[in-house]
């Protein structure tokens, strides 16, 4: 007997089978960086099951976390003090990263990108791309700014007119998406489904590159 949960899963099986190949390599290959691997795992599952707006949100967090963790560890490695034998490892780790957390933990995303660039953790092209993501995804979705999300994009809709006889169909017209809240929900879901895989895969590659820059000795 098929349970209700099984039935619900089967509804999404086709979506999973279509989407999983695009992110399978990332899903199956860990960073071996615990702070980032949980985000990679969740982003892959969101994309595979078609939860694209959730994937955008996770990727926004992933981008900011990557930059801040990279700056914190980069700073800690470059300012490493002597470890005292016999010290509690939890306290040692807290002391090791404390200064970096205070220095970078509360920066805005724009400031964090600048700091990562000035510390040679990202190059010019990566800085440019991350700033595009900052505006187009992080700011747009976090602030629910529909003009940022949709810009001047429009769709063709069937118009209508109110007459004494009732509603009379008119000719198709171009509707500016940002100006028509009634279409925001479905339009945003469709746009996110187009954008989320590429956004994630870029960040996934960047994590793997930046890990080598932050931890050159492995």
């Amino acid at each position: 007997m098929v349970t209700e949960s099984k039935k619900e899963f089967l509804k999404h099986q086709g979506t999973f089978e279509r989407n999983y190949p695009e992110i399978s390599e990332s899903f199956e290959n860990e960073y071996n960086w615990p702070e980032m691997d949980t985000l990679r795992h969740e982003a892959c599952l969101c994309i595979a099951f078609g939860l694209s707006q959730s994937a955008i949100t996770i990727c926004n967090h992933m981008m900011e976390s990557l930059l801040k963790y990279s700056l914190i560890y980069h700073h800690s490695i470059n300012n490493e003090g002597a470890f005292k034998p016999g010290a509690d490892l939890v306290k040692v780790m807290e002391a090791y990263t404390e200064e970096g957390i205070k220095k970078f933990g509360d920066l805005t995303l724009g400031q964090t990108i600048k700091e990562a660039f000035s510390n040679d953790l990202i190059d010019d092209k990566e800085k440019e791309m991350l700033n595009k993501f900052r505006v187009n995804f992080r700011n747009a979705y976090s602030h629910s700014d529909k003009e940022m999300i949709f810009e001047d994009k429009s769709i063709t809709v069937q118009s209508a007119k109110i007459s004494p006889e009732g509603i009379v169909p008119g000719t198709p017209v171009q509707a500016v998406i940002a100006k028509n809240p009634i279409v925001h929900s479905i339009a945003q879901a469709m746009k996110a489904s187009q954008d989320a895989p590429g956004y994630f895969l870029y960040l996934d590659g960047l994590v793997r590159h930046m890990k080598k820059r932050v931890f050159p000795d492995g």
Side-chain angles (χ1 to χ4, degrees), residues 70-81 93 95-101 104:
S70 296
L71 284 165
I72 289 165
Y73 284 118
H74 178 71
H75 179 83
S76 299
I77 290 168
N78 289 338
N79 296 275
E80 186 174 331
M93 195 62 195
Y96 183 65
T97 56
E98 181 178 13
E99 188 174 305
I101 291 172
F104 303 110

Side-chain angles (χ1 to χ4, degrees), residues 87-155:
D88 183 272
L89 288 177
V90 173
K91 296 304 178 183
V92 166
M93 195 62 195
E94 287 179 0
Y96 183 65
T97 56
E98 181 178 13
E99 188 174 305
I101 291 172
K102 286 181 179 179
K103 185 176 178 66
F104 303 110
D106 63 351
L107 296 183
T108 66
L109 179 54
Q111 291 170 331
T112 307
I113 293 171
K114 288 180 182 178
E115 287 288 343
F117 179 71
S118 66
N119 281 275
D120 295 322
L121 294 173
I122 57 174
D123 61 26
D124 278 302
K125 289 184 178 179
E126 291 163 346
K127 182 181 72 170
E128 182 180 357
M129 185 62 73
L130 290 172
N131 273 311
K132 286 182 180 179
F133 291 158
R134 177 178 61 84
V135 173
N136 296 338
F137 296 131
R138 192 267 198 171
N139 290 353
Y141 281 80
S142 295
H143 300 304
S144 193
D145 189 325
K146 305 308 177 186
E147 289 189 350
M148 275 190 177
I149 293 173
F150 299 117
E151 298 175 322
D152 59 353
K153 293 181 175 63
S154 62
I155 56 173

